[in-house]
């Protein structure tokens, strides 16, 4: 991520443009205080939104210091430590709640509201990115979505069904709770793709990057193939686990694609 944001001349990587709007969240909840310091608490069964989505050249003041959004993201990433499990579905729901401007405050141990940074909230709701509040003409030409980086099997997602329903902001939404959370992840993914099924009334894509050599066993995403053809190739991948295949299919059906990320260059390529 640092190479994506700052570039790396030794690797021939050019930093991503200032016009991109990017925020930061985690699979598993850690938190930062208003001075930008990492708090000691964490949760292995919740997600958290650490930095609201802004243009990378936006000016942000924290603890009396003014910096760009790009600099803030790098600062947060540099301070992140791995303390949690992989509550993928719950973390996905937490980010969706932020995008929708809904709330997970009353979700107890399922929601990561208390871990999300104060700058992501407005009263009892998340403060949805201002970039989503555009006139219809601009919206038709814009793209928005969730970019997932994962290196582990999903777990500790029991209870995600109520969190997911509250996050997406539609009373008609339902999904089934499980430890791996895949049913809720799949249904949230479908609701994001269909503007009629989410509170914002917009299409949100989901892209997935799987880190680790194990993901090399999964068939690569091919933009020239149909969604069904990509899914079929993934399902017939030799020696790939159920969860690895599911993660790849999540990105394909989310229309952002799936990528095996074993280097910073592969991560940059997936974004571009």
């Amino acid at each position: 991520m640092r190479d994506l944001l700052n570039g790396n001349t030794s690797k021939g990587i050019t930093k991503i443009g200032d016009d991109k709007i990017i925020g930061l969240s985690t699979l598993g909840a850690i938190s930062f205080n208003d001075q930008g310091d990492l708090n000691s608490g964490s949760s292995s069964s919740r997600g958290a939104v650490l930095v609201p989505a802004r243009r990378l050249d936006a000016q942000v003041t924290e603890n009396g210091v003014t910096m760009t959004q790009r600099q803030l993201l790098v600062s947060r990433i540099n301070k992140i430590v791995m303390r949690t499990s992989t509550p993928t579905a719950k973390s996905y729901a937490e980010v969706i709640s932020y995008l929708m401007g809904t709330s997970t405050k009353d979700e107890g141990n399922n929601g990561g509201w208390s871990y999300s940074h104060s700058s992501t909230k407005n009263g009892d709701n998340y403060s949805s990115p201002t970039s989503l509040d555009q006139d219809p003409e601009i919206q038709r030409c814009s793209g928005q979505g969730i970019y997932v980086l994962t290196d582990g099997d999903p777990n500790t997602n029991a209870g995600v069904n109520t969190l997911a329903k509250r996050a997406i902001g539609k009373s008609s939404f339902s999904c089934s709770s499980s430890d791996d959370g895949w049913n809720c992840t799949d249904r949230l993914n479908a609701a994001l793709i269909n503007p009629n099924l989410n509170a914002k009334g917009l299409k949100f894509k989901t892209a997935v990057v799987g880190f680790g050599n194990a993901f090399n066993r999964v068939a690569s995403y091919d933009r020239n193939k149909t969604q069904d053809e990509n899914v079929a190739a993934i399902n017939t991948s030799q020696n790939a686990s159920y969860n690895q295949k599911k993660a790849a299919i999540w990105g394909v059906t989310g229309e952002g694609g799936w990528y095996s990320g074993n280097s910073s260059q592969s991560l940059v390529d997936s974004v571009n």
Side-chain angles (χ1 to χ4, degrees):
M1 288 300 293
R2 285 186 288 268
D3 283 352
L4 175 69
L5 291 167
N6 287 335
N8 189 318
T9 55
S10 67
K11 298 178 182 178
I13 296 173
T14 302
K15 68 180 181 181
I16 193 169
D18 282 339
D19 61 324
K20 300 300 187 294
I21 298 170
I22 299 177
L24 179 67
S25 63
T26 52
L27 296 176
I30 59 175
S31 65
F32 287 84
N33 61 29
D34 289 343
Q35 287 71 50
D37 298 320
L38 182 67
N39 292 323
S40 60
S42 63
S43 173
S44 62
S45 60
R46 289 180 269 187
V49 186
L50 304 183
V51 180
R54 307 181 184 100
R55 276 182 59 111
L56 289 176
D57 59 356
Q59 296 292 302
V60 184
T61 299
E62 182 175 79
N63 197 29
V65 178
T66 299
M67 66 192 86
T68 64
Q69 173 78 348
R70 186 190 302 272
Q71 291 169 325
L72 177 61
L73 287 168
V74 172
S75 174
R76 287 283 194 274
I77 291 167
N78 286 340
K79 293 177 182 178
I80 287 176
V81 293
M82 300 299 104
R83 297 175 176 165
T84 76
S85 299
T86 315
T88 307
K90 287 184 177 180
S91 301
Y92 191 41
E94 201 69 39
V95 174
I96 290 171
S97 183
Y98 164 66
L99 292 174
M100 298 298 138
T102 57
S103 178
T104 64
K105 184 178 180 180
D106 297 327
E107 279 299 306
N109 291 331
N110 290 323
W113 175 270
S114 62
Y115 290 90
S116 292
H117 196 263
S118 60
S119 61
T120 66
K121 306 168 188 175
N122 182 15
D124 291 335
N125 290 325
Y126 277 117
S127 182
S128 180
T130 56
S131 58
L132 300 180
D133 298 323
Q134 309 169 68
D135 64 63
E137 190 63 33
I138 295 176
Q139 286 177 356
R140 280 193 288 271
C141 299
S142 300
Q144 49 275 323
I146 300 173
Y147 190 79
V148 182
L149 307 178
T150 182
D151 65 353
D153 291 344
N155 51 45
T156 64
N157 289 291
V160 66
N161 54 319
T162 58
L163 175 66
K165 183 171 184 175
R166 187 181 293 271
I168 203 67
K170 285 287 188 176
S171 60
S172 58
F173 180 88
S174 66
C175 64
S176 301
S177 174
S178 64
D179 187 61
D180 63 26
W182 278 122
N183 181 262
C184 287
T185 297
D186 291 342
R187 291 184 177 239
L188 284 170
N189 195 17
L192 289 178
I193 286 294
N194 187 338
N196 295 319
L197 298 181
N198 66 69
K200 276 295 181 182
L202 296 171
K203 182 176 183 176
F204 296 82
K205 295 183 179 182
T206 299
V208 177
V209 177
F211 280 100
N213 291 332
F215 279 97
N216 291 335
R217 303 166 184 162
V218 183
S220 300
Y221 174 60
D222 187 342
R223 296 176 187 272
N224 296 316
K225 290 182 178 179
T226 66
Q227 185 176 112
D228 287 345
E229 288 171 337
N230 272 296
V231 170
I234 290 167
N235 278 327
T236 56
S237 298
Q238 296 295 315
N239 301 316
S241 72
Y242 170 78
N243 283 321
Q244 290 156 5
K245 292 178 182 179
K246 285 291 292 183
I249 292 171
W250 178 18
V252 171
T253 56
E255 299 186 8
W258 106 264
Y259 310 88
S260 178
N262 290 314
S263 68
S264 55
Q265 183 63 63
S266 60
L267 176 59
V268 171
D269 291 343
S270 71
V271 173
N272 295 329

